[in-house]
């Protein structure tokens, strides 16, 4: 294979980390990670595998004790007991040490044993195809119950020096034991150190994607994009499903599911069509179902047949054979590269044809992901592919396509948990069919909730089937739903500066954008119970709504656990006191998205398609009070591999709440990557101050300051990269209180309940403002429904100052 099709690896471990006997080898990689191998002939591999690339960890401090019964290997964090024989439940065990058992049911942590059935906190699955609701997940790297997890590597293929793969010999055992207790983030970072980091996505991938299985024409597709323009909705990626190619073919060739030739009736001049999308600032991906190979009617057939020595006159198909290196190179160079020259930016690999090839144990999906990803960066572009998950190590080949989603509340309810839990196997960039793809029934409320989740998920890709009734255009839905969809699609593009920094954080720090609550609060049992609640980057916590509204309340209910501290509603600025569980209620226009105290969230108002892939000239920064914090805004070339060499620019933003000071430091790095001058709007949320002192490079300045409710908005124009901005609030500035009475009035006003009951509840809330028990008791006596009671208490008890 060509050089760009080869991974750079360092698979041999340091000799000082290895203990070896006649038929076994143990490699201590870290104080919590150990590789254990068994081979009857005493021959072991130091080659990289499909999963593991780097075993060159630094020296580790460990102790070895040999007894008649076997080995005892211990570090600060684990003790391994091994009888030096073929692995068994009685002969191989691992116990965690130094684990904080606070809040753990039972108060103990049993040892892991080989073949143990005790589950981990799970990982992810290959696909959600045809799943209506939940599906089984594979195991992950973290365990709550015994702190240990096993990553099996015995059946993966090894990577050869020429860039190809070869099967492992049979009869060997090769496993990696993760003994991290509840240090989940540390386990994940060492997994990335072992298997390779998550690469950065190009900036455009973080915008909205328009996708639909539908026979568009060039004219109809561009008209649709123009209609979105009128709605002030933008998309950064155009996903063209399989009707881009010929599908109605002569039955003698088989079906039209596989295709590599443009349908010229729909797209008379493909290059023109692709250029028009590029002119709009959009990138383009085409759907591929390559399993049927290249048949004689394809435009690329003569090139492919000649390359591989086939007789064209016989019209025999060139069978798809990703397990053959000659076919694989020809497939990319003769079939795909010419279309990329026309303007295709990346490929949607829609492989659904099983896990077998002519090479035992070789999954064609893994080969497609691996080589598509490597091929996509051959000319210095930032690599990306779009395909299903093919096992541990797949995080190296983003983005993940989760398959054809069934339209149902159950499907939506599973996706937040599915997405954040995938981080437990390092897989951080799932893309779902937002809104659902097929089957199901039209449900406007369901669609709105799915859009809301999509905006706060790794990739926001709308998708639907070819039914003429199943489009995802917002104007197909009721007015309140349409408005919500529009606003959330715009919000996704406003969030790009934040999302792109989290993209870098995933690469540089091993922190996936969506993380389960227990990463931050591993000893709090509540963090494991709220499966659909997750952190979205470093600053936000999200709880999607995945059930219908309660009719009488016009609001949906969702259970929330608030960790200690203050939490601010991203949409209303309502502040909540943490350290408790409660139910939250939201109308169709929002979901609970909570910013932590001190949160700093960079955004932008430059949200058109052509803006998404650029570093913006205008930035808006939301700052939430209550705690000290810092945030380093990351920017780079956006679509090259330069980030691997540190070609970037970083801007540190910091809040010192005690001193009531916010600072933007001069940038560090390549200033030429960002505008020479910028406009910053600094939005200090939920504070009492109406004015601040602003200094630029130490000199006090008169700038525009607007008080908008409890937000102080400060506009700074013509700010250069090397300018230092300091904003100082008055010493008596405090967190603004909630407008509880007004919020309760607005909630009751829209609720569809008896007027007399509204008056009673409103009066009682004012009477018992600081006496929750009395308020609840009187509402119970009145026969107020439990959801309505909880909705009132959410507002009344949000924050006591």
């Amino acid at each position: 294979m060509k050089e760009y099709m080869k991974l750079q690896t360092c698979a041999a471990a340091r000799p000082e980390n290895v203990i070896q006997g006649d038929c076994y080898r143990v490699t201590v990689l870290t104080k919590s990670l150990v590789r254990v191998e068994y081979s009857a002939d005493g021959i072991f591999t130091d080659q990289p595998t499909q999963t593991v690339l780097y075993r060159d960890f630094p020296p580790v401090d460990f102790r070895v004790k040999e007894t008649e019964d076997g080995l005892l290997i211990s570090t600060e964090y684990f003790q391994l007991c091994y009888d030096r024989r073929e692995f068994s439940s009685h002969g191989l065990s691992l116990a965690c040490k130094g684990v904080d058992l606070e809040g753990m049911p039972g108060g103990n942590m049993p040892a892991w044993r080989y073949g143990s059935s005790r589950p981990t906190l799970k990982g992810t699955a290959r696909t959600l195809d045809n799943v209506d609701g939940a599906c089984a997940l594979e195991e992950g790297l973290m365990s709550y119950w015994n702190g240990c997890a096993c990553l099996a590597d015995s059946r993966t293929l090894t990577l050869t020096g020429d860039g190809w793969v070869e099967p492992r010999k049979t009869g060997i055992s090769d496993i990696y034991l993760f003994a991290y207790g509840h240090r989940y983030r540390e386990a994940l970072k060492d997994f990335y150190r072992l298997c390779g980091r998550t690469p950065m996505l190009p900036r455009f991938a973080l915008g909205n994607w328009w996708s639909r299985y539908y026979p568009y024409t060039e004219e109809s597709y561009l008209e649709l994009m123009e209609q979105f323009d009128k709605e002030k909705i933008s998309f950064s990626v155009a996903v063209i499903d399989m009707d881009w190619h010929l599908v109605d073919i002569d039955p003698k060739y088989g079906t039209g599911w596989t295709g590599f030739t443009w349908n010229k009736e729909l797209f008379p001049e493909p290059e023109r069509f692709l250029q028009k999308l590029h002119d709009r600032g959009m990138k383009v991906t085409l759907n591929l179902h390559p399993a049927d190979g290249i048949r004689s009617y394809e435009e690329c057939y003569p090139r492919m047949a000649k390359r591989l020595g086939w007789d064209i006159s016989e019209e025999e198909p060139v069978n798809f054979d990703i397990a053959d290196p000659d076919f694989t190179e020809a497939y990319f160079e003769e079939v795909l590269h010419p279309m990329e020259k026309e303007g295709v930016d990346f490929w949607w690999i829609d492989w659904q044809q099983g896990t077998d090839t002519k090479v035992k144990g070789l999954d064609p999906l893994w080969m497609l992901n691996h080589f598509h990803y490597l091929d996509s960066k051959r000319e210095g572009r930032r690599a990306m592919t779009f395909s299903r998950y093919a096992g541990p190590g797949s995080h190296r080949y983003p983005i993940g396509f989760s398959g054809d989603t069934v339209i149902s509340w159950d499907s939506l309810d599973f996706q937040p948990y599915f997405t954040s839990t995938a981080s437990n196997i390092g897989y951080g960039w799932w893309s779902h069919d937002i809104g659902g793809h097929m089957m199901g029934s039209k449900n406007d409320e369901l669609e709105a909730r799915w859009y809301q989740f999509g905006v706060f998920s790794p990739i926001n890709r709308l998708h639907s089937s070819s039914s003429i009734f199943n489009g995802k255009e917002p104007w197909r839905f009721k007015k309140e739903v349409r408005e919500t969809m529009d606003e959330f699609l715009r919000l996704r593009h406003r969030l790009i500066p934040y999302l792109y920094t989290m993209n870098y954080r995933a690469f540089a720090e091993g922190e996936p954008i969506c993380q389960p609550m227990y990463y931050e609060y591993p000893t709090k049992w509540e963090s494991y119970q709220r499966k659909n609640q997750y952190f979205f980057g470093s600053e936000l916590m999200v709880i999607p709504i995945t059930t219908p509204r309660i009719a009488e309340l016009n609001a949906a209910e969702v259970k929330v656990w608030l960790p200690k501290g203050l939490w601010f509603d991203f949409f209303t600025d309502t502040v909540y006191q943490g350290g408790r569980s409660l139910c939250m209620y939201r109308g169709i226009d929002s979901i609970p998205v909570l910013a932590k105290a001190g949160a700093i969230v960079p955004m932008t108002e430059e949200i058109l398609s052509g803006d998404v892939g650029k570093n913006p000239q205008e930035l808006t920064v939301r700052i939430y009070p209550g705690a000290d914090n810092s945030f380093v805004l990351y920017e780079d070339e956006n679509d090259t591999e330069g980030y691997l060499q540190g070609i970037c620019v970083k801007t540190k933003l910091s809040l010192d709440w005690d001193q009531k000071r916010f600072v933007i430091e001069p940038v560090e790095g390549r200033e030429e990557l960002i505008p020479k001058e910028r406009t910053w709007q600094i939005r200090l949320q939920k504070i009492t101050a109406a004015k601040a002192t602003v200094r630029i490079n130490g000199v006090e300045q008169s700038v525009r300051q607007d008080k908008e409710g409890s937000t102080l908005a400060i506009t700074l124009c013509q700010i250069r990269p090397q300018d230092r901005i300091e904003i100082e609030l008055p010493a008596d500035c405090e967190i603004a209180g909630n407008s509880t009475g007004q919020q309760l009035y607005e909630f009751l006003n829209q609720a569809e309940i008896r007027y007399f009951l509204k008056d009673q509840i409103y009066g009682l809330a004012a009477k018992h403002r600081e006496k929750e028990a009395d308020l609840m008791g009187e509402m119970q006596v009145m026969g107020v429904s439990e959801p309505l009671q909880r909705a009132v208490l959410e507002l009344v008890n949000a924050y006591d100052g």
Side-chain angles (χ1 to χ4, degrees):
M1 306 300 290
K2 291 182 169 57
E3 283 302 314
Y4 62 80
M5 291 291 226
K6 301 175 185 178
L7 282 177
Q8 300 301 311
T9 67
C10 197
R14 290 175 177 265
E16 59 265 45
N17 287 348
V18 177
I19 308 104
Q20 186 166 344
D22 291 340
C23 299
Y24 69 86
R25 184 169 68 167
V26 179
T27 307
V28 182
L29 296 167
T30 76
K31 291 182 178 181
S32 294
L33 175 59
V34 57
R35 180 191 191 191
V36 189
E37 300 168 89
Y38 180 84
S39 176
D41 61 8
I43 299 174
F44 304 96
T45 184
D46 288 322
Q47 288 181 275
T49 71
Q50 289 173 294
T51 300
V52 174
L53 304 182
Y54 307 101
R55 304 186 189 97
D56 59 330
F57 285 72
V60 182
D61 181 18
F62 63 92
R63 296 168 299 284
V64 182
K65 181 179 179 180
E66 294 201 43
T67 69
E68 291 183 2
D69 296 328
L71 295 174
L72 289 177
I73 302 173
S74 59
T75 71
E76 179 183 354
Y77 293 117
F78 73 77
Q79 183 177 73
L80 176 74
C81 299
Y82 177 41
D83 65 3
R84 297 180 292 226
R85 297 185 177 91
E86 192 169 354
F87 298 167
S88 65
S89 60
H90 59 271
L92 179 59
S93 65
L94 186 73
C96 271
K97 296 160 59 177
V99 179
D100 183 358
L101 299 178
E102 177 192 348
M104 185 172 182
N108 66 79
M109 183 168 279
W112 172 92
R113 291 187 174 277
Y114 182 77
S116 168
S117 60
R118 189 174 288 274
T120 65
L121 289 166
K122 299 302 180 184
T124 194
R126 186 181 181 96
T127 180
L128 296 180
D129 283 319
N130 301 309
V131 174
D132 187 357
C135 70
L137 301 182
E138 298 172 14
E139 300 298 338
L141 304 169
M142 296 90 171
S143 170
Y144 177 79
W145 297 103
N146 58 18
C148 302
C150 176
L151 177 65
D153 202 34
S154 306
R155 297 182 181 178
T156 60
L157 280 68
T158 58
L159 308 185
T160 59
D162 61 359
W164 203 242
V165 295
E166 63 182 13
R168 305 279 290 271
K169 65 180 180 181
T170 59
I172 60 103
S173 296
D174 187 358
I175 61 175
Y176 294 80
L177 301 179
F178 287 72
Y180 287 81
H182 297 154
R183 298 171 0 255
Y184 301 136
R185 285 196 176 108
E186 188 179 339
L188 186 56
K189 291 178 183 183
D190 282 344
F191 170 75
Y192 289 136
R193 172 69 175 82
L194 179 71
C195 301
R197 292 194 284 187
T198 297
M200 284 191 71
L201 304 181
R203 192 181 187 97
F204 70 79
L206 299 172
N208 299 314
W209 296 30
W210 179 258
S211 177
R212 189 181 181 190
Y213 173 35
Y214 190 80
Y216 288 109
T217 64
E218 174 182 350
E219 183 179 13
S220 67
Y221 200 94
L222 294 173
E223 285 177 353
L224 176 62
M225 294 301 109
E226 289 171 3
Q227 181 62 37
F228 280 124
D229 289 344
K230 294 175 183 177
E231 298 283 319
K232 295 182 172 58
I233 300 171
S234 298
F235 292 87
S236 61
V237 177
V239 183
I240 315 297
D241 212 324
M242 60 178 288
D243 286 291
W244 69 269
H245 64 72
L246 297 173
V247 294
D248 297 322
I249 62 173
D250 191 320
K252 73 177 183 178
Y253 297 114
T255 73
W257 200 249
T258 295
F260 302 96
T261 302
W262 284 91
N263 184 337
K264 298 295 180 63
E265 292 183 4
L266 302 181
F267 303 97
E269 296 184 41
E271 197 165 353
R272 178 184 64 191
F273 172 62
L274 297 172
Q275 185 58 51
K276 287 183 177 181
L277 291 174
H278 288 161
D279 291 343
R280 298 179 56 82
M282 299 178 73
K283 301 295 184 180
V284 185
T285 183
L286 303 184
N287 176 275
L288 290 178
H289 297 104
D292 288 341
I294 293 84
R295 292 163 287 183
S296 60
Y297 69 86
E298 301 279 12
E299 290 180 355
C300 60
Y301 177 75
R303 298 194 304 270
M304 193 71 171
K306 181 180 179 181
R307 170 82 173 255
L308 296 176
W310 288 66
D311 184 352
I312 297 177
S313 65
E314 296 293 329
E315 293 192 345
E316 287 295 323
V318 177
N319 295 325
F320 181 81
D321 187 2
I322 199 68
D324 180 291
D326 292 333
F327 172 86
T328 300
E329 284 197 333
Y331 172 67
F332 283 101
E333 294 174 9
E334 306 297 343
V335 179
L336 303 184
H337 290 180
M339 285 189 281
E340 291 174 17
K341 289 180 180 178
E342 290 179 338
V344 177
D345 295 291
F346 65 102
W347 299 97
W348 171 14
I349 307 154
D350 199 355
W351 181 266
Q352 303 173 60
Q353 284 73 36
T355 59
D356 294 320
T357 64
K358 67 184 181 184
V359 176
K360 184 178 181 181
L362 181 59
D363 184 347
L365 178 61
W366 186 90
M367 292 289 278
L368 284 164
N369 294 352
H370 177 74
F371 285 118
H372 264 277
Y373 182 82
L374 293 176
D375 181 73
S376 69
K377 64 178 181 179
R378 68 186 182 279
E379 295 177 349
R381 294 180 302 166
R382 189 168 301 177
M384 191 176 80
T385 192
F386 181 39
S387 183
R388 289 171 175 81
Y389 175 79
S394 291
H395 64 276
R396 298 191 301 263
Y397 315 117
I399 294 170
F401 166 52
S402 67
D404 296 335
T405 302
V406 174
I407 300 171
S408 71
W409 283 104
D410 287 340
S411 292
L412 172 59
D413 185 56
F414 184 58
Q415 284 189 2
Y417 166 72
F418 178 82
T419 305
S420 64
T421 303
S423 295
N424 293 346
I425 196 64
Y427 202 67
W429 292 111
W430 269 124
S431 169
H432 303 302
D433 290 350
I434 297 301
H437 170 61
M438 60 186 186
M439 297 188 283
S441 305
K442 188 175 191 293
N443 185 313
D444 285 30
E445 184 180 358
L446 171 61
E447 291 295 323
R449 296 305 189 194
W450 225 320
Y451 274 52
Q452 290 167 337
F453 166 62
V455 168
F456 290 96
S457 65
I459 302 295
N460 189 35
R461 177 181 53 85
L462 311 184
H463 191 56
S464 56
S465 73
S466 59
S467 167
I468 60 173
F469 300 105
N470 191 16
K472 293 296 187 287
E473 299 89 343
W475 51 84
R476 288 174 174 257
F477 299 90
K478 297 171 186 173
K479 184 176 185 292
E480 63 170 1
V481 168
R482 174 180 180 173
E483 291 174 351
T484 294
M485 291 174 165
D486 288 351
E487 277 308 304
F488 272 78
L489 289 172
R490 294 176 193 128
L491 175 59
R492 178 69 183 198
H493 281 201
R494 291 187 177 106
L495 285 167
I496 293 292
Y498 177 71
L499 296 173
Y500 197 69
T501 299
M502 294 304 107
N503 180 20
Y504 174 71
R505 178 175 177 250
F507 159 73
E509 301 177 28
E511 298 266 6
I513 189 170
C514 291
Q515 298 184 14
M517 295 296 295
Y518 47 76
Y519 279 25
E520 185 69 20
Y521 303 98
T523 63
K524 299 298 183 184
W525 184 236
E526 297 91 338
S527 69
Y528 299 87
Q529 294 177 304
R530 299 276 76 85
K531 291 188 173 183
N532 271 7
Q533 181 173 333
Y534 57 90
F535 286 106
F536 189 66
S538 60
E539 310 299 294
L540 302 175
M541 183 170 68
V542 178
I543 309 94
I545 288 176
T546 60
T547 56
R549 284 177 288 184
I550 299 168
E552 66 173 6
L553 303 184
N554 274 328
E557 176 186 88
V558 62
K559 294 179 180 178
V560 178
W561 173 60
L562 293 179
K564 286 184 179 179
L566 298 179
W567 299 89
F568 299 83
D569 188 292
F570 186 80
F571 298 102
T572 67
D573 270 359
T574 300
V575 57
Y576 292 88
Q577 189 73 49
R580 61 195 174 109
S581 295
L582 71 158
C583 289
M584 290 187 173
Y585 295 82
R586 295 294 183 273
I588 198 65
D589 59 342
S590 75
I591 59 174
V593 176
L594 304 175
K596 67 184 183 182
I600 300 171
V601 184
M603 302 170 66
T604 186
E605 290 301 317
E606 296 175 13
I607 62 174
L608 299 179
S609 298
D611 296 329
V612 171
K614 303 174 183 178
N615 297 323
Q617 191 276 331
E618 177 277 332
L619 285 167
T620 299
V621 183
R622 291 193 185 190
I623 301 135
Y624 293 85
D628 296 348
N629 189 28
S630 64
F631 185 99
V632 179
L633 176 68
Y634 176 88
E635 297 168 284
D636 62 18
E637 296 170 313
N638 296 316
D639 59 1
T640 75
E641 298 281 279
Y643 74 95
L644 295 171
Q645 287 77 47
I647 299 174
C648 67
V649 60
K650 298 179 181 180
T651 308
K652 184 177 180 180
L653 318 174
S654 59
L655 173 67
D656 185 332
W657 179 243
D658 288 338
Q659 298 298 317
K660 304 297 188 289
R661 183 182 297 118
F662 176 73
V663 176
I664 304 174
E665 300 287 358
V667 305
E668 295 181 0
R670 305 281 287 270
E671 292 183 22
E672 68 273 16
L673 298 177
I674 61 176
K676 293 180 180 179
E677 291 184 342
R678 269 183 162 155
T679 297
W680 292 77
Q681 184 175 92
I682 309 302
R683 299 185 63 83
L684 296 144
Q685 310 284 132
K686 201 64 174 176
I687 60 171
T688 56
K691 197 171 182 63
T693 300
V694 179
R695 298 183 183 89
I696 301 177
N697 300 322
V699 179
E700 188 171 333
Q701 303 287 332
S702 176
V703 298
R704 179 174 177 177
Q705 302 190 38
D706 299 297
K707 186 67 172 177
E708 303 169 3
S710 61
T711 296
L712 176 59
I714 300 173
T715 303
L716 306 170
C717 300
Q718 296 180 318
I719 301 301
R720 299 164 301 178
Q722 285 306 315
D723 288 337
R724 185 180 191 270
I725 312 300
E726 183 178 340
I727 297 173
E728 188 170 342
L729 296 167
D732 60 354
C733 176
E734 296 179 349
I735 298 171
N738 295 327
S739 302
T740 305
Q742 181 63 27
Q743 289 176 313
L744 182 59
Y745 168 79
E746 291 173 358
F747 178 80
L748 290 172
N749 187 52
Q750 61 83 48
E752 297 184 12
I753 58 176
R754 291 178 291 117
Y755 292 113
F756 182 64
L757 182 58
K758 294 185 184 191
D759 290 331
Q760 285 184 301
I761 292 173
Y762 192 68
L764 285 173
K767 177 182 177 183
H768 299 300
R769 176 80 184 273
E770 298 180 2
K771 297 179 180 179
E772 175 183 343
D774 291 348
L775 175 58
M776 181 179 291
E778 293 210 37
M779 287 194 293
Q780 288 174 344
V781 170
M782 292 165 52
V784 175
S785 69
E786 290 187 2
L788 180 51
Q789 289 182 45
R790 292 193 291 266
V792 171
L793 291 174
E794 178 201 347
L795 297 174
V796 171
N797 297 331
Y799 175 60
D800 59 13

